Amino acid sequence: MSSEPAIAVARVPRHLAVIMDGNGRWAERRRRPRVIGHRAGARAVNVCIDFCLDQGIEALTLFAFSSENWGRPEEEVGALMKLFLGALEREVDELDRRGVRVRFIGERERFAEAIRKQMAAAEDRTRANTRLHLTIAASYGGRWDIAQAARSLAQDVAAGRLAPEDIDEYAIGARTCLAELPAPDLFIRTGGETRISNFLLWQLAYTELWFTDLLWPELDAATLQRAMDDYAGRQRRFGLTGAQVAPAPAPARPATKETSE
């Protein structure tokens, strides 16, 4: 993945990144256990995948479980792991049928062996698919991502395979988890919070940010379309001026006998 952005920007993002926030609050407002909210949130995941397929979005990265989420109450974490395993077993056939490639990023070794096996099976099953690249960030943190990239480069330097002066932003970006994909064009966070919470810290450098108070289980295609419409109306300058990235004016049509009279 090149860290240098392209100036020509399509109205539809190539890569959408999403923090799926608000499951627990959705359940609490209904006086239900938080795990019920996580179950309801699974429906919204399918809404988001359907929308990306319909819109021709090439890549979707979902923040499912952060490194910090391991600190939540043990009962909630256990319930989340059961839901995660069930979703892997239930959804992979349909995702494969629809041409979706599934990939997981994060500290996979922290999960139970049964979940790790399901992750690997889903990745192997869908590896050749190209219609949508679906990345699930699970036990993931943006700082961890950058640290593991730095560690990989340091190992190459220590082994004599790389000179320190050859390490630049492109070298680091090539060792991060999403190196094979273009950087996210649009980031969406539901739930009313306006921060990125250690998600894709390296990759979001020039991503357009969009926040909504809507809780994740309430997500619908209309909300996603509002985000797309807002994105389409933005001018992405990547440090340049507006005049530099504005489309060039159409050349004037030469005068004809009819128009000159």
Side-chain angles (χ1 to χ4, degrees), residues 26 29-30 40 43-44 213-220 223:
W26 182 90
R29 289 178 184 180
R30 289 157 178 77
R43 180 201 61 83
D213 291 334
L214 198 77
L215 302 178
W216 178 250
E218 299 167 341
L219 184 79
D220 56 14
T223 301

Side-chain angles (χ1 to χ4, degrees), residues 3 43 46 185 190:
S3 296
R43 180 201 61 83
N46 288 325
D185 300 295
T190 61

Side-chain angles (χ1 to χ4, degrees), residues 18-203:
V18 181
I19 290 184
M20 307 178 290
D21 194 13
N23 289 339
R25 282 172 286 157
W26 182 90
E28 289 169 355
R29 289 178 184 180
R30 289 157 178 77
R31 298 183 180 179
R32 305 294 301 279
R34 288 175 60 88
V35 67
I36 300 299
H38 295 303
R39 290 175 183 168
R43 180 201 61 83
V45 170
N46 288 325
V47 168
C48 198
I49 291 172
D50 290 346
F51 185 87
C52 288
L53 290 170
D54 290 343
Q55 294 289 319
I57 294 171
E58 298 174 24
L60 171 64
T61 300
L62 301 175
F63 204 6
F65 192 82
S66 75
S67 303
E68 293 78 13
N69 287 158
W70 290 108
R72 290 190 175 187
E74 184 176 346
E75 181 181 357
E76 181 175 350
V77 172
L80 279 169
M81 294 303 104
K82 289 181 181 178
L83 286 173
F84 196 36
L85 182 59
L88 286 172
E89 295 173 340
R90 184 174 60 252
E91 301 292 344
V92 66
D93 288 346
E94 178 65 11
L95 291 172
D96 183 45
R97 186 189 68 79
R98 302 182 73 184
V100 178
R101 180 186 178 186
V102 180
R103 184 179 171 220
F104 298 89
I105 59 173
E107 298 178 90
R108 196 175 305 199
E109 62 275 9
R110 297 189 67 175
F111 289 101
E113 183 180 1
I115 292 179
R116 295 199 305 270
K117 287 182 177 179
Q118 285 292 340
M119 288 177 172
E123 290 176 331
D124 290 342
R125 173 76 179 272
T126 62
R127 192 175 303 277
N129 295 337
T130 58
R131 190 178 174 200
L132 175 66
H133 292 266
L134 173 62
T135 304
I136 308 296
S139 190
Y140 173 88
R143 291 175 176 174
W144 165 86
D145 195 1
I146 296 169
Q148 64 86 27
R151 188 180 307 114
S152 174
L153 291 167
Q155 290 170 346
D156 280 354
V157 170
R161 295 187 295 266
L162 184 68
E165 58 268 24
D166 292 332
I167 298 176
D168 56 17
E169 62 183 275
Y170 305 107
I172 296 172
R175 303 295 177 100
T176 58
C177 286
L178 295 182
E180 66 182 56
L181 296 175
D185 300 295
L186 176 63
F187 161 95
I188 294 174
R189 180 171 186 158
T190 61
E193 305 291 353
T194 52
R195 56 179 179 268
I196 59 175
S197 296
N198 199 22
F199 180 46
L200 302 180
L201 296 181
W202 182 270
Q203 297 85 349

